[in-house]
Amino acid sequence: MDAADSSTTHIVIFSWLAFGHLLPALDLAERLASRGHRVSFVSTPRNISRLPPVAPALAPLIDFVALPFPRVEGLPEGAESTNDVPFDKFDLHRKAFNGLAAPFSAFLDAACAADGGGRRKPDWVLVDFIHHWVAAAALERNLPCAMLVTFAAGLMAPLGRPV
């Protein structure tokens, strides 16, 4: 199947900037691509460069979308992943992360405008737990959005109500 085939489902995945989230999201992207779906995997340049390579047969179906990580005073240069951030600077990392809202919206605008010419606008947006602004961006563009929760069930269970 051609990666630009307009009959394939196009899924945008935007994971939290921690490798415990990025790696499972990449695995999901590969599994979706193995079923013929096109995936736009959104992250930052440094995080994308540190991901393991995608299987060559799946690479044509996975587009890596690098959003420039905003500079925040006090945050170490190149601190795009939580692995790069000292604990006392975590608030600055989250502040920089929230600065990705406008570039992400611009990406969605471009992706939605690309409908046709063999490219397909996104059918779904899968978002991680901390991306409070992604659902609004998807809703503004009439794109279905689902939360991808990579936590263990035991951690999430206390948050639910008994049935």
Side-chain angles (χ1 to χ4, degrees), residues 54-143:
V54 171
L58 303 177
L61 287 167
I62 300 175
D63 296 321
F64 288 95
V65 179
L67 302 180
F69 197 62
R71 184 77 186 113
V72 171
E73 188 174 335
L75 189 63
E77 185 70 32
E80 296 180 13
S81 163
T82 57
N83 291 355
D84 307 321
V85 182
F87 182 75
D88 64 325
K89 305 282 184 185
F90 190 72
D91 317 2
L92 298 175
H93 185 262
R94 221 171 38 218
K95 180 179 178 181
F97 172 76
N98 286 334
L100 292 172
F104 180 74
S105 290
F107 157 72
L108 280 185
D109 286 338
C112 288
D115 196 13
R119 300 300 266 181
R120 183 179 175 130
K121 77 176 200 172
D123 295 293
W124 279 95
V125 176
L126 298 182
V127 60
D128 214 326
F129 78 106
I130 200 165
H131 299 58
H132 58 90
W133 35 264
V134 169
L139 183 63
E140 288 171 11
R141 291 152 187 87
N142 295 318
L143 299 173

Side-chain angles (χ1 to χ4, degrees), residues 3 48 50-52 72 76 92 103 132 138 160 163:
I48 289 172
R50 295 189 288 177
L51 290 171
V72 171
L92 298 175
H132 58 90
V163 182

